[in-house]
Amino acid sequence: MSITERLTTAQAIIRFLKNQYVERDGQEHPFFAGCFGIFGHGNVAGMGQALQQNPDFRYYQSRNEQAMVHTAAAYAKMKNRLSTFACTTSIGPGATNMITAAAGATINRLPVLLLPGDIFARRNVAPVLQQLELPYSQDISVNDCFRPISRYWDRINRPEQIITALPEAMRVLASPAETGAVTLSLPQDVQAEATDYPAALFEKRVWTIPRPRPDADLLRKAAEWIRDSRRPLIVAGGGVLYSEATAALARFVEQTGIAVAETQAGKGALAYNNPLSLGAMGVTGTPGANIMAREADLIIGVGTRYSDFTTASKTAFQNPDVRFVNINVAEFDATKHAALPLVADAHVTLEELSGALSDYDTGEEYRARAQRFNKEWDAEVSRIYNLEHGPPISQGEVIGAVNAASGPQDVVLCAAGSLPGDLHKLWRTRDPKGYHLEYGYSCMGYEIAGGLGVKMADPEREVYVMVGDGSYLMMSQEIVTAVQEDIKLNIILIDNHGFASIGGLSQSVGSGGFGTHYRYRNDATGQLDGRPLPVDFAANARSLGAHVIEAADLPGLKAALAEAKGQTKTTVIVIETDREQRVAGYESWWDVPIAEVSAIDSVQRAYETYEEAKEKERYFL
Ligand SMILES: Cc1ncc(C[n+]2csc(CCOP(=O)(O)OP(=O)(O)O)c2C)c(N)n1
Ligand SMILES: [Mg+2]
């Protein structure tokens, strides 16, 4: 007779999760660091009860369901996807609050396990509080909204269904190619129901994260393409970091002399001062990266999904003969741009390519040119770091001060606004995990919640969360969670009275910044162009339990950053900046459609330049 154990569905889920491990390169890691949750009637008696009786699977409280998924995703990103959190919520709004961050996790290819409560499977008491009723079906709840943004989605209508659902959930979460948000919808009655589970379900399982090698013929061909190219360029994406391939990349680059441009997720793949580092690529890129990309006859994309910010809306690669070799563990990404696809792990593929290219070098001229770009860019960064603007000072100076104050191992973190572009260009990254940008979804509100996840993943590093006033107002409440867990974040809050980023964009499309300032409604104009709104960010952060320092100028900011270093609790530094003192764009373009007809002259003019620029967009077939 097989051995069974009588548990509720929720208890069995926790028992299973506790026993899941992943292994890569011979090293084993527990896959789940615990469970974030906010309780309501949809999970308090099910998952809540199960967590209570499993204190070794730690429960973390959050202020907002979206935030806790950001935290889990940031944690997973920092751990190179080898570990994450589960997230439990009530039904209805508690569940759907997770959707925004779940989409972010899937887009960024980061594993998170979502366990939203769901309406009664039993149905007799329907409609329950917070239930969506539809006249045409009883088989739908708001949790069906998770389907398009989940890499695996299931609804558990009977306790025994988890016996087959949980291993599938793990297969997807642990797969470098498939990973993203995984949703198991848990009807509130089913969570609390018990059955006899096979004991084997709870045995320790180790999921091996493989390092698939490329097809031998394709690898040979890729080496030929590289040998034949005169102007190759590597585009390094997040996959380089997740695969822990940065040292292999540095060796490959040193050996071959091929220069590297980095995407937002790939920044840090190469140290900023490596002579073959061209820095940021694309819309928010450096002149060197964008000029060399424009001329390149071969792009070697490593672990990149080629977002429009990387490809400058498909205008970045202008050489008529350009070809692509893509190294990617996901076939979906490997085949983009009609590339020669090396569907494989970045680390082992770079090593195999190194072996196949022992006779290859880009040559002195190429190397010298890349090095010149690297040096010139560093001088430009220094110029922007030391602008001596204002006060209010410039955002570039703030970035310079934070970079100087942070140690090489420390982490800067950001997600939305004008900061990501400026950081992509200006941050001097000294460690592969030193730069953490959520720029797949660029979700305002990720910053502080994400900072929490990074610090939980690596408490030894100082974490510098850089957040705009707009993002802060959208989601800052996780300061409370940081205080609750005694987790120290350094939060640099940049107050520029609204949306510098979208304000600038609005100007560039001819709309003059409409709707992007934080100002009172003006009775005279009827518009939002009155006095500035009187938000007291320092008082706000202090009220949540943070230590707060207000800085008025650059010396004040530097002193604040020094003081923050000595602090043991989460510290918020508030600094006002001049939103009009922007960092320029360099040799790139972004497709933001402009009104084809308009009553406003500036829009008409912007449309004409837009039409012209759009002609550079290419298909790669
Ligand atoms: C959740 C969400 N809503 C809207 C946007 C579009 N958006 C991008 S940046 C931005 C403004 C950000 O303002 P702030 O944080 O103050 O940064 P700043 O632009 O001033 O640098 C907006 C609204 C977004 N990225 N995320
Ligand atoms: Mg702002």
Side-chain angles (χ1 to χ4, degrees):
M1 209 185 76
S2 61
I3 302 163
T4 59
E5 200 159 344
R6 193 160 181 81
L7 295 169
T8 68
T9 307
Q11 291 160 1
I13 290 172
I14 299 300
R15 236 344 233 295
F16 176 88
L17 300 182
K18 276 200 293 195
N19 286 297
Q20 303 308 304
Y21 290 74
V22 294
E23 173 267 322
R24 184 164 74 178
D25 302 333
Q27 273 192 315
E28 218 173 83
H29 314 260
F31 191 64
F32 293 99
C35 185
F36 270 92
I38 293 180
F39 296 126
H41 63 283
N43 64 338
V44 68
M47 289 299 294
Q49 190 281 329
L51 284 163
Q52 186 191 15
Q53 74 175 49
N54 283 283
D56 55 336
F57 197 73
R58 185 173 281 184
Y59 162 69
Y60 293 91
Q61 193 180 58
S62 180
R63 303 317 115 188
N64 177 302
E65 292 86 355
Q66 178 186 330
M68 70 194 192
V69 180
H70 287 321
T71 303
Y75 181 92
K77 184 174 166 81
M78 191 64 192
K79 289 279 190 187
N80 290 331
R81 310 194 288 206
L82 298 174
S83 181
T84 188
F85 283 94
C87 298
T88 169
T89 73
S90 192
I91 73 164
T96 52
N97 261 359
M98 290 201 289
I99 283 177
T100 297
T106 292
I107 287 164
N108 285 291
R109 318 276 163 87
L110 295 169
V112 292
L113 176 61
L114 311 180
L115 304 169
D118 207 338
I119 52 171
F120 276 65
R122 184 162 26 100
R123 294 186 179 171
N124 62 323
V125 290
V128 296
L129 178 67
Q130 301 170 331
Q131 175 167 345
L132 170 76
E133 279 186 285
L134 293 168
Y136 62 87
S137 174
Q138 292 182 50
D139 193 30
I140 291 174
S141 80
V142 293
N143 285 11
D144 287 82
C145 296
F146 284 92
R147 284 176 188 263
I149 51 166
S150 297
R151 296 308 305 258
Y152 180 83
W153 184 98
D154 216 342
R155 180 177 278 127
I156 305 301
N157 281 314
R158 298 170 60 94
E160 59 269 38
Q161 286 177 342
I162 60 166
I163 301 170
T164 52
L166 285 170
E168 286 304 298
M170 272 310 296
R171 172 184 62 77
V172 173
L173 287 167
S175 159
E178 292 291 309
T179 200
V182 165
T183 304
L184 297 181
S185 271
L186 303 174
Q188 53 187 108
D189 51 345
V190 181
Q191 283 180 49
E193 280 167 22
T195 196
D196 296 317
Y197 287 101
L201 182 65
F202 308 120
E203 278 167 19
K204 177 176 174 179
R205 278 187 207 210
V206 184
W207 301 77
T208 297
I209 313 268
R211 292 196 178 275
R213 286 167 194 280
D215 177 81
D217 287 342
L218 287 175
L219 185 88
R220 244 190 317 273
K221 199 163 159 192
E224 267 167 38
W225 283 23
I226 294 170
R227 231 179 262 114
D228 287 348
S229 75
R230 304 198 32 81
R231 295 161 180 256
L233 176 71
I234 293 169
V235 175
V240 176
L241 304 186
Y242 301 143
S243 156
E244 293 170 3
T246 55
L249 178 70
R251 282 193 299 274
F252 180 75
V253 161
E254 168 59 25
Q255 178 193 318
T256 60
I258 305 175
V260 175
E262 295 169 330
T263 73
Q264 280 279 16
K267 190 170 160 82
L270 219 54
Y272 83 98
N273 53 359
N274 184 308
L276 287 163
S277 167
L278 299 171
M281 164 80 208
V283 181
T284 53
T286 69
N290 287 334
I291 290 169
M292 289 189 77
R294 191 182 305 151
E295 297 170 358
D297 57 4
L298 182 72
I299 299 294
I300 306 163
V302 192
T304 175
R305 51 187 201 98
Y306 288 108
S307 87
D308 66 345
F309 262 75
T310 299
T311 68
S313 302
K314 299 282 201 302
T315 65
F317 314 113
Q318 288 296 324
N319 186 323
D321 301 320
V322 67
R323 297 193 286 189
F324 295 81
V325 168
N326 290 341
I327 302 169
N328 207 299
V329 76
E331 184 181 57
F332 176 63
D333 294 312
T335 54
K336 286 176 179 172
H337 294 193
L340 187 159
L342 299 178
V343 183
D345 170 71
H347 185 131
V348 295
T349 307
L350 285 168
E351 281 181 345
E352 290 198 3
L353 265 183
S354 291
L357 288 167
S358 51
D359 55 338
Y360 173 82
D361 195 296
T362 50
E364 264 316 300
E365 202 181 311
Y366 176 107
R367 281 181 186 254
R369 186 171 183 230
Q371 179 153 20
R372 209 164 46 244
F373 278 133
N374 174 282
K375 284 259 154 54
E376 284 169 8
W377 180 248
D378 206 45
E380 175 70 351
V381 171
S382 291
R383 184 187 71 79
I384 295 168
Y385 277 6
N386 299 292
L387 214 53
E388 297 182 12
H389 183 82
I393 65 173
S394 68
Q395 186 159 282
E397 289 168 281
V398 178
I399 293 171
V402 176
N403 191 272
S406 63
Q409 307 295 313
D410 295 343
V411 185
V412 71
L413 182 142
C414 190
S418 59
L419 274 164
D422 291 1
L423 284 165
H424 194 207
K425 286 176 236 183
L426 302 178
W427 189 259
R428 288 173 171 150
T429 314
R430 298 148 285 178
D431 179 273
K433 300 306 288 183
Y435 182 85
H436 184 119
L437 251 289
E438 188 283 280
Y439 213 63
Y441 211 37
S442 188
C443 185
M444 291 170 77
Y446 176 90
E447 297 89 347
I448 294 171
L452 204 59
V454 170
K455 187 70 177 175
M456 289 172 91
D458 196 343
E460 299 303 308
R461 306 186 197 227
E462 289 285 342
V463 176
Y464 291 89
V465 173
M466 297 195 70
V467 59
D469 52 333
S471 275
Y472 181 90
L473 287 178
M474 213 174 265
M475 193 169 280
S476 49
Q477 74 292 329
E478 293 316 300
I479 289 173
V480 177
T481 310
V483 171
Q484 179 176 42
E485 295 290 344
D486 197 17
I487 287 169
K488 185 204 169 185
L489 301 177
N490 304 280
I491 300 170
I492 295 91
L493 198 172
I494 295 190
D495 183 7
N496 54 19
H497 311 288
F499 305 163
S501 52
I502 307 301
L505 192 60
S506 162
Q507 282 171 11
S508 76
V509 300
S511 290
F514 172 74
T516 64
H517 292 265
Y518 284 163
R519 291 178 177 274
Y520 282 99
R521 185 157 309 276
N522 182 347
D523 287 340
T525 62
Q527 303 286 338
L528 297 174
D529 59 3
R531 284 174 297 118
L533 290 177
V535 185
D536 186 340
F537 288 103
N540 182 285
R542 204 171 286 123
S543 77
L544 300 178
H547 175 66
V548 177
I549 313 167
E550 288 178 89
D553 50 20
L554 194 56
L557 175 63
K558 287 178 179 168
L561 287 161
E563 185 188 329
K565 248 186 216 179
Q567 268 293 330
T568 51
K569 78 180 214 182
T570 284
T571 300
V572 177
I573 298 172
V574 183
I575 174 91
E576 187 185 353
T577 62
D578 178 355
R579 85 179 226 163
E580 298 306 330
Q581 184 55 50
R582 301 168 197 281
V583 180
Y586 298 84
E587 305 280 343
S588 197
W589 185 69
W590 187 32
D591 189 339
V592 178
I594 295 181
E596 202 167 340
V597 293
S598 158
I600 302 168
D601 269 1
S602 53
V603 177
Q604 296 273 29
R605 282 196 301 277
Y607 180 73
E608 282 158 29
T609 4
Y610 170 74
E611 277 293 278
E612 212 176 286
K614 204 162 67 133
E615 277 169 22
K616 293 214 168 74
E617 291 180 3
R618 293 186 62 182
Y619 287 107
F620 302 104
L621 300 168

